[in-house]
Each structure stands twice: as structure tokens, then as C-alpha cells.
Amino acid sequence: MRPRGDVVCVRHGRTHPAAQTSTFHPDQEYLADLASWITAGLLAAVALAGGITKMFIPKEKPAAQHGGEWTAHAGVGFVKALGVLESLAAVGLILSAALGTAPVMVPVTALCWILLMVGAMVAHGRLGQYKLVMVNVVCLGLAAFLTGGHLAA
């Protein structure tokens, strides 16, 4: 178990050596790790919000709103399965790195998120929702940054 207050590296799953000194001056590795944590947190928040919405809100509600029209043409099981996958993505992006149990799950989850965003871009593009396609592109870019940061580390 790590002592409280240590900075845990999301890319490696261990405490950051620079955080163990009394005079802390962030170096490039620390800043890259901070960017990875912020990116993982943003993606996890998006994934959890989308997952909870898809799992617990009846599909007729989002189908009647802008951005959720695709659910009108999808089965209830498919929508709920996407919700479960998105919720698991939130767990995979944060919990595995925070506990240091399986830090390899972060880039694997981010890679799966990229595939999910490609599907979302296709679905929104077919409906002419190009602003939502751009939101998906941003999420895809964040996931690519997270995956690339882990592969480079």
C-alpha cells in the first residue's frame, strides 16, 4: 500500500519519484503524467455520464432529443449494452491506474474508446449531426493522446 499523498503515475502505476522529495519541482515526466490523469478523468466522466444515461433512462427519452435520435433505430438491449461498456470504460480508465493493479488497462480501454467513437461518428454522421461528430472527434483525440502516452512510456 502506498503512503497517503504520493503522486501515482497513471502511465506506469507506481509513485512518481519527484513527488517523494521535500522540494517538488515538476519535470517533463510529471507534467505528462498530470496531463494523462486529466485526460483519463475527462474521458471517464464522459463515459460514466453516457453509460448511466444509456443504462437507466428509457431509450424513448433520448430518442426524442437532439443527439439521441439514433436510439430510435436501435434495440433496447443494444443501447443498454453500450451503457454497460461505457461504464466499464470509466472504471478501466481510472480505477486500474489509481490502484496500480493493472495500468495496462488504461491504454487498452482508451483504444476501445477510440473504436467506440468511430462508431459514434458514423451514427451521428448518417443523421447529419456534424456538431456531434466533432464532439466525438475530440473524445477520439483525447483517447488517442492517452493511448499514445502509454505506448511511448
Side-chain angles (χ1 to χ4, degrees):
M1 193 62 130
R2 290 183 217 55
R4 292 182 63 106
D6 280 352
V7 178
V8 180
C9 178
V10 71
R11 296 182 301 151
H12 303 106
R14 59 182 184 268
T15 58
H16 194 279
Q20 297 170 354
T21 62
S22 59
T23 56
F24 177 66
H25 300 288
D27 60 358
Q28 189 174 2
E29 183 181 352
Y30 175 79
L31 294 175
D33 191 53
L34 180 63
S36 292
W37 269 111
I38 291 169
T39 303
L42 288 171
L43 285 177
V46 169
L48 191 60
I52 289 173
T53 301
K54 289 176 182 78
M55 285 190 301
F56 298 113
I57 295 180
K59 79 172 198 134
E60 293 77 23
K61 227 175 182 179
Q65 296 184 2
H66 180 66
E69 294 91 350
W70 65 271
T71 60
H73 308 291
V76 175
F78 178 75
V79 175
K80 291 200 182 297
L82 279 178
V84 169
L85 290 174
E86 289 181 6
S87 298
L88 288 173
V91 170
L93 286 168
I94 298 295
L95 203 55
S96 61
L99 297 177
T101 54
V104 72
M105 286 303 297
V106 176
V108 170
T109 304
L111 189 60
C112 292
W113 188 258
I114 289 171
L115 297 174
L116 185 68
M117 288 299 103
V118 169
M121 288 187 292
V122 169
H124 289 298
R126 285 183 178 168
L127 295 172
Q129 300 169 335
Y130 301 112
K131 288 182 182 178
L132 292 174
V133 170
M134 292 309 298
V135 170
N136 297 137
V137 168
V138 169
C139 288
L140 185 145
L142 291 172
F145 166 76
L146 201 55
T147 303
H150 281 274
L151 294 176

